[in-house]
C-alpha cells in the first residue's frame, strides 16, 4: 500500500509528528513523537542523499498491532496505523515535484507521508529472515488498518 497522508492544509508534513512502535533508533529515532520537519532537516547522510525520509523500521511484537501514529497539531487529527507486517517503511514524498491531485491541488516535495507496512527489505539476502521470502506460486496475506480520530493531546496522557 502506497497511500499518501497529510492531515492538515499545510503545504508540507513538516509540522506533523510521527511516532513508531520500533526499537530502531537509526537513522532517525521515532520511538517518541518527533516533528517530521526536524527529521527532514537532519544532517544524516541518508536523509541528505534521499532528500528526506525513506527508511524501513521493524515494528515490535507480532500479529495485528499498532505500528505508527501520525499527528497534526493544527487540526488535532490523529492517524493510527495497525498492521501484522514485520515493519513500516516511512517515505516523505521526496520525489514529488508539482504533481496535480484531486481538485487540481498542487503537491510538492514533503507534501505528504506514506506509512508502508511491508516485509523486511532485502530479506532474500538475510538468512535470519528467510521466512519473509515467498517463492512464486505461493500466496501471502497481510492486514493493515488506518484509522483517524480527533486527539487534543498527542500522545494521550497515560498511553
Amino acid at each position: 500500500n502506497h497511500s499518501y497522508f497529510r492531515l492538515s492544509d499545510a503545504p508540507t508534513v513538516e509540522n506533523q509528528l510521527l511516532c513508531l512502535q520500533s526499537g530502531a533508533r537509526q537513522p532517525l529515532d521515532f520511538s517518541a513523537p518527533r516533528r517530521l520537519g526536524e527529521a527532514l532537516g537532519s544532517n544524516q547522510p541518508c536523509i541528505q542523499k534521499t532528500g528526506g525520509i525513506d527508511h524501513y523500521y521493524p515494528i515490535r511484537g507480532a500479529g495485528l498491532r499498532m505500528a505508527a501514529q501520525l499527528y497534526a497539531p493544527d487540526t488535532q487529527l490523529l492517524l493510527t496505523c495497525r498492521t501484522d507486517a514485520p515493519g513500516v517503511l516511512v517515505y516523505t514524498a521526496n520525489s514529488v515535484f508539482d504533481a496535480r491531485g484531486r481538485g487540481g491541488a498542487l503537491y510538492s516535495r514533503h507534501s505528504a507521508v506514506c506509512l508502508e507496512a511491508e516485509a523486511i527489505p532485502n530479506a532474500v539476502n538475510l538468512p535470519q529472515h528467510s521466512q519473509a521470502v515467498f517463492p512464486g506460486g505461493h500466496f501471502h496475506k497481510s492486514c493493515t488498518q488506518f484509522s483517524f480520530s480527533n486527539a487534543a493531546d498527542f500522545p494521550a496522557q497515560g498511553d
Side-chain angles (χ1 to χ4, degrees):
N1 185 339
H2 199 74
S3 298
Y4 284 85
F5 299 99
R6 183 175 66 200
L7 304 180
S8 75
D9 289 334
T12 71
V13 294
E14 292 178 0
N15 287 326
Q16 294 178 29
L17 292 101
L18 177 65
C19 184
L20 300 172
Q21 299 300 308
S22 177
R25 304 289 186 255
Q26 294 295 324
L28 300 167
D29 186 356
F30 287 104
S31 60
R34 183 174 188 177
R35 194 166 304 278
L36 287 172
E38 175 191 335
L40 291 167
S42 167
N43 62 0
Q44 291 278 344
C46 55
I47 299 298
Q48 298 297 311
K49 181 179 179 181
T50 61
I53 304 165
D54 189 2
H55 299 89
Y56 179 83
Y57 289 86
I59 301 302
R60 289 189 294 268
L64 188 62
R65 71 234 183 260
M66 183 170 49
Q69 290 187 303
L70 182 66
Y71 179 71
D74 57 338
T75 61
Q76 297 184 344
L77 191 57
L78 174 66
L79 165 67
T80 300
C81 172
R82 291 177 176 79
T83 187
D84 61 2
V88 172
L89 188 133
V90 178
Y91 176 69
T92 53
N94 310 330
S95 300
V96 175
F97 298 99
D98 299 332
R100 291 283 174 191
R102 185 176 182 184
L106 186 63
Y107 295 96
S108 298
R109 182 181 235 183
H110 306 148
S111 60
V113 63
C114 290
L115 302 173
E116 303 173 35
E118 60 185 47
I120 300 164
N122 199 29
V124 69
N125 294 312
L126 303 170
Q128 68 273 30
H129 297 294
S130 62
Q131 74 278 5
V133 179
F134 303 100
H138 290 81
F139 292 95
H140 171 72
K141 290 172 76 173
S142 183
C143 179
T144 299
Q145 300 172 340
F146 294 105
S147 60
F148 298 87
S149 60
N150 203 311
D153 298 344
F154 179 70
Q157 299 303 312
D159 284 352

